[in-house]
Amino acid sequence: MSGKSALRRELLAARRLLSEEDVRDASAVLAGRALDLPELAEAGTVAAYVSVGREPGTRALLDALRERGVRVLLPVLLPDNDLDWAAYDGAERLVRAGRGLLEPDGPRLGVRAVLQARVVLLPGLAVDGRGMRLGRGGGSYDRVLARLERAATDAGADVDADADADADAGPALAVLLYDHEVVDRVPEEPHDRPVHVVVTPGGTRRFTGK
């Protein structure tokens, strides 16, 4: 078993021990902390996801962002494990999909719709002190992150070297986790990219590397 697989197994086992009350209480705190992020305060479009099972809850956050007038994009899993996107129009417009996921029932916007987001909220199982994230291993978000990185690189190449514009036009990458899921070290592979901020019930932590 690889280092990533062993860590995933350990963290998923810990999540299964959480009660529904634990998950509900953490969800409320996480929504409040996430809404205080300046990146979210300034974002017109946010890419997020619907939490399921004992994942750190996102549903209160999705509704709060929508009430603010933020356009929220949610992933739609494609047969090849890539992600299409659709707008979030409320919990009543979510439908059951494969792998126990919930997806919007509205029009599909294409895999490149995520490039419109100023903040991308990534699912995860852990993050370490460098901002390296451990996902579930399906590879869907590796494709999303690669797509974002290519777009930022292309945007940077179009910026004049003497201009004040930020050549790194990529979105802020954030992950919501439980406190114990901020770990010493996440095993990494060459394609892995760090997140910029992690939000837990106990606080918010930022990472300097990109």
Side-chain angles (χ1 to χ4, degrees):
M1 182 180 297
S2 72
K4 281 189 175 183
S5 296
L7 185 55
R8 284 190 188 103
R9 183 175 179 179
E10 175 185 337
L11 292 166
L12 287 169
R15 282 188 179 179
R16 286 193 290 271
L17 296 176
L18 296 172
S19 68
E20 291 185 8
E21 183 179 6
D22 292 333
V23 175
R24 184 171 58 250
D25 291 347
S27 173
V29 177
L30 285 168
R33 291 196 183 281
L35 287 169
D36 285 338
L37 293 174
E39 295 91 342
L40 283 179
E42 299 167 359
T45 299
V46 171
Y49 62 96
V50 183
S51 58
V52 295
R54 284 171 169 70
E55 285 186 306
T58 66
R59 300 193 195 192
L61 176 58
L62 298 180
D63 288 332
L65 289 171
R66 187 165 173 259
E67 288 171 8
R68 278 186 180 180
V70 176
R71 181 176 180 241
V72 179
L73 303 179
L74 297 179
V76 177
L77 187 65
L78 296 173
D80 65 354
N81 277 351
D82 206 346
L83 296 179
D84 202 335
W85 299 87
Y88 177 58
D89 291 321
E92 69 280 2
R93 297 290 302 275
L94 296 174
V95 296
R96 292 284 175 186
R99 302 187 185 179
L101 300 176
L102 289 169
E103 299 174 346
D105 65 358
R108 303 320 191 217
L109 304 174
V111 297
R112 291 179 58 82
V114 69
L115 303 182
Q116 301 165 18
R118 297 311 305 150
V119 178
V120 177
L121 185 64
L122 303 164
L125 292 172
V127 70
D128 67 17
R130 304 165 300 160
M132 301 306 298
R133 178 187 68 96
L134 178 69
R136 285 181 173 265
S140 297
Y141 278 90
D142 291 333
R143 298 192 191 190
V144 171
L145 293 174
R147 190 167 289 127
L148 293 170
E149 187 171 43
R150 285 194 300 271
T153 299
D154 292 344
D158 292 336
V159 174
D160 187 280
D162 295 327
D164 291 332
D166 183 0
D168 184 358
L173 305 177
V175 60
L176 304 185
L177 295 173
Y178 298 110
D179 290 315
H180 69 273
E181 293 172 342
V182 179
V183 301
D184 291 336
R185 191 81 174 183
V186 167
E188 65 180 287
E189 298 175 51
H191 63 266
D192 290 333
R193 297 293 179 268
V195 300
H196 303 132
V197 59
V198 59
V199 180
T200 71
T204 298
R205 181 172 179 179
R206 295 180 178 278
F207 308 100
T208 56
K210 283 196 177 185

